[in-house]
Amino acid sequence: MDASFDAQRDAGPDPAAVASPPNAPAFEILAPQSQRLPLVLASPHSGNAYSAAFLASSRLDARALRKSEDCFVDEIFAFAPGLGVPLIRALFPRAYLDVNREAYELDPEMFADPLPAYVNTRSPRVAAGLGTIARVVANGEDIYKGKLRFAEALDRVSRCYTPYHNALRQLVDATRDAFGHVLLIDCHSMPSASATTDGRRGGGRGASHPDIVLGDCFGNACAPAVIDAAEEYLCGLGYAVSRNNPYAGGYTTRHYGRPRQGIHTLQIEIARDLYMDEAALTRLPYLDVLARHMTVLVDTLGLLPPHGLGPR
């Protein structure tokens, strides 16, 4: 783990401590000295570098904007280089740009000028206010004081979205070339139905309020052996696990998952009350336990035999 990651961890949740300088990098790759397993991990929503220009354009303060973050997910999976696995993490916040969307899923009501015909204005995500550039934060509050110009969307896509996905594609392709197949794990967190603050695992809440949701786009994004192995391991630890409900996988899972071409993608959503105080945006002691469990999970999935990664 590099020094910049340690510094950001020590900074904690104080929004003033994570203000981003102009022209800040869009992402960071935590790379192993040598890759040992055919996996790539991605944390697209844990970025917390808020630019002064973005904060000035928002009607919300930085703490309110952080409600959309997958806080500390990159920290939970930061063990990856030690296993011989690369981890790519976005540094810009999800409220600024969401790379788990198409490049241009935009709400025309957010913009002062007309949008080009190629923009997807009718997706369910746009309707919910959660397009590539979100209209609202996770609790439904509007983000912006006024309307944006389409040039702003073009700028964010060119500076953040395109570099992130170019780098992710290179990692995926290089890993498949080296090992013959690759498993991309897209790492996320989800708001909890009833947040706890005692640091205990939430196992036993059942399918309606799972601890962990595994998404493979209903069997289309990875071989059955991958999600079967993940579910078996997590259930064995006492976690309440759901498949594809309520999260079957976003753009990354759908776009990269090509099992017939040796590219398997699995989305993991972790309930935030397992590892953080959702109101205070602070870590709970169970975060370290969860990280150890995710370490074994990733290692287990990386050791799945290639001959078992075919259709059921």
Side-chain angles (χ1 to χ4, degrees):
M1 193 181 304
D2 64 16
S4 63
F5 187 92
D6 288 335
Q8 188 161 347
R9 172 183 175 130
D10 294 342
D14 179 6
V18 291
S20 67
N23 303 316
F27 64 89
E28 181 178 27
I29 297 174
L30 305 182
Q33 290 186 344
S34 62
Q35 190 164 350
R36 185 177 70 86
L37 296 173
L39 288 102
V40 174
L41 303 189
S43 182
H45 291 161
S46 55
N48 62 355
Y50 290 83
S51 70
F54 176 50
L55 292 173
S57 71
S58 176
R59 55 183 296 273
L60 304 175
D61 62 21
R63 182 167 291 277
L65 289 169
R66 295 198 70 199
K67 298 294 185 181
S68 288
E69 283 180 28
D70 287 351
C71 290
F72 312 125
V73 165
D74 54 349
E75 191 171 311
I76 292 170
F77 289 91
F79 60 79
L83 287 181
V85 174
L87 165 67
I88 181 172
R89 61 188 188 114
L91 301 179
F92 52 87
R94 181 187 187 184
Y96 181 75
L97 183 86
D98 191 342
V99 289
N100 200 26
R101 300 286 184 264
E102 299 171 20
Y104 295 100
E105 287 187 73
L106 302 174
D107 183 348
E109 296 300 317
M110 293 176 58
F111 293 86
D113 46 342
L115 300 182
Y118 60 80
V119 173
N120 182 352
T121 62
R122 298 181 178 274
S123 78
R125 295 158 295 279
V126 168
L130 298 171
T132 315
I133 296 179
R135 175 174 52 81
V136 299
V137 289
N139 63 2
E141 291 186 271
D142 285 341
I143 293 174
Y144 295 98
K145 296 174 182 176
K147 294 196 174 187
L148 306 175
R149 306 291 298 184
F150 181 62
E152 176 67 21
L154 289 173
D155 180 63
R156 295 187 194 187
V157 169
S158 67
R159 287 189 299 103
C160 298
Y161 187 99
T162 300
Y164 175 89
H165 278 289
N166 284 347
L168 179 56
R169 172 56 68 185
Q170 290 172 10
L171 288 172
V172 168
D173 289 348
T175 301
R176 181 182 59 172
D177 291 347
F179 293 89
H181 70 282
V182 57
L183 170 58
L184 168 60
I185 301 179
D186 205 35
C187 308
H188 296 264
S189 68
M190 56 188 177
S192 306
S194 55
T196 62
T197 57
D198 57 7
R200 290 182 292 107
R201 186 168 75 243
R205 289 182 295 190
S208 59
H209 301 299
D211 298 314
I212 296 174
V213 177
L214 303 174
D216 66 351
C217 295
F218 300 98
N220 292 306
C222 67
V226 175
I227 196 168
D228 288 349
E231 182 177 41
E232 180 180 4
Y233 171 73
L234 293 168
C235 287
L237 292 173
Y239 291 105
V241 180
S242 173
R243 289 195 188 195
N244 295 304
N245 183 25
Y247 306 106
Y251 172 81
T252 298
T253 313
R254 298 191 312 271
H255 179 72
Y256 289 89
R258 297 289 185 270
R260 295 182 183 276
Q261 300 173 21
I263 303 175
H264 305 268
T265 308
L266 180 68
Q267 179 175 282
I268 296 180
E269 296 269 2
I270 302 172
R272 291 175 191 155
D273 67 346
L274 294 182
Y275 68 88
M276 66 177 286
D277 183 318
E278 294 174 84
L281 301 178
T282 54
R283 305 169 187 83
L284 295 177
Y286 195 74
L287 187 149
D288 292 333
V289 179
L290 183 62
R292 291 197 295 271
H293 290 164
M294 292 299 111
T295 303
V296 178
L297 172 64
V298 169
D299 196 44
T300 299
L301 296 179
L303 295 173
L304 288 174
H307 60 80
L309 299 181
R312 194 181 299 280

